[in-house]
Amino acid sequence: MENEIYQEAKDLYVKQQFNESIEKFKECIKQKIYISQCHEYIAKAYYSLKDMLKAEENFKLSIKSDPLNLSSLYAYGIIEITFAKYKEAYTTFKTLLDYDNTKIDINVGYAASLFGMRKVLDAKEVILNAIKYEREHSDEDAKPNLMCAQIYLVILNELGNHQTVLQKIDEMNLEILYPMIKEIKQQKIAAYIGLKEYKKALDLIDSN
């Protein structure tokens, strides 16, 4: 049975009472209860409060307490990318891949770190392998990984494959991609600009 204070802290977190949950998790840490998990929850709470520095600090403490806390390690890698610490993120995601190289989200993070390091062709190879694996091991009606789709378009635009970007977007089910429709639209605009079709780019910018 979980510690009562720990459960209370989790309940506050679920209710999005983040500041209150942080204080409760800190109580748990003082009592040496689930230290890694508490720091992870504190980090996620700070992330929700948009305090990225404290989120980064607590994910780091979570990993220090338990190097095998892979969910903290993944989140820490994402924050490293957010802070443009691409070399550090590369190391983090490489470590995660050593544990499991089949998870799409880990491969996307790895590709993003490579892209940030300007290793664009390497990033493209990682994403294409991830897309291939997803197609081979997912059900036919499974939804595509949205982050994977987005970074693939970013990579294609960076490589100057603007026509391919437009083609890929036309092939996409935009209803499924709706949560990232803004990001997809940005890549479409970038493709039009790359093709010097400025009117189409401006029309798309002006559209709702």
Side-chain angles (χ1 to χ4, degrees):
M1 184 174 178
E2 287 188 341
N3 178 277
E4 186 176 333
I5 300 175
Y6 181 70
Q7 185 59 55
E8 186 179 348
K10 287 206 303 182
D11 290 342
L12 288 167
Y13 176 84
V14 170
K15 293 175 184 175
Q16 297 186 10
Q17 295 176 238
F18 298 121
N19 287 310
E20 293 86 347
S21 74
I22 288 169
E23 294 308 312
K24 283 292 178 185
F25 282 121
K26 285 181 178 178
E27 287 183 38
C28 291
I29 291 169
K30 286 179 182 177
Q31 297 182 32
K32 301 188 183 303
I33 299 166
Y34 305 123
I35 294 174
S36 180
Q37 293 94 324
C38 287
H39 277 300
E40 181 178 3
Y41 270 110
I42 290 172
K44 291 193 290 186
Y46 277 127
Y47 188 92
S48 297
L49 293 168
K50 303 190 185 308
D51 190 334
M52 303 297 283
L53 287 174
K54 287 185 178 178
E56 180 186 31
E57 176 188 350
N58 279 277
F59 278 128
K60 194 171 184 178
L61 288 169
S62 174
I63 298 161
K64 183 179 179 181
S65 176
D66 179 8
L68 293 179
N69 187 333
L70 300 186
S71 57
S72 277
L73 193 60
Y74 172 80
Y76 186 60
I78 294 298
I79 287 183
E80 286 175 322
I81 289 173
T82 302
F83 285 138
K85 297 178 179 179
Y86 299 117
K87 289 184 179 179
E88 294 88 341
Y90 171 84
T91 301
T92 298
F93 283 106
K94 191 74 171 63
T95 301
L96 285 163
L97 286 171
D98 288 340
Y99 287 106
D100 187 351
N101 63 4
T102 65
K103 288 190 175 179
I104 302 299
D105 288 346
I106 294 175
N107 279 279
V108 169
Y110 185 52
S113 68
L114 286 167
F115 184 84
M117 294 165 65
R118 311 314 300 154
K119 296 184 178 182
V120 183
L121 290 175
D122 290 341
K124 181 182 178 182
E125 182 180 356
V126 171
I127 285 297
L128 286 175
N129 286 335
I131 292 170
K132 181 181 177 182
Y133 183 89
E134 184 180 36
R135 286 173 179 167
E136 291 175 349
H137 295 84
S138 299
D139 297 331
E140 287 186 10
D141 57 349
K143 293 182 179 180
N145 183 289
L146 301 185
M147 287 299 296
C148 193
Q150 182 198 2
I151 195 169
Y152 184 45
L153 295 176
V154 171
I155 289 168
L156 288 174
N157 264 328
E158 181 68 18
L159 291 171
N161 299 331
H162 308 302
Q163 198 64 55
T164 305
V165 169
L166 297 176
Q167 179 186 338
K168 294 293 181 185
I169 292 174
D170 286 342
E171 292 172 356
M172 290 176 175
N173 184 332
L174 294 183
E175 185 176 342
I176 293 175
L177 292 170
Y178 184 76
M180 297 196 74
I181 197 70
K182 181 180 178 182
E183 290 80 1
I184 301 296
K185 180 179 176 181
Q186 287 173 343
Q187 293 310 311
K188 194 170 185 178
I189 291 168
Y192 280 137
I193 292 172
L195 292 168
K196 298 183 179 180
E197 296 187 23
Y198 302 119
K199 187 179 185 306
K200 288 183 179 180
L202 287 170
D203 288 343
L204 195 53
I205 292 169
D206 291 337
S207 65
N208 293 326

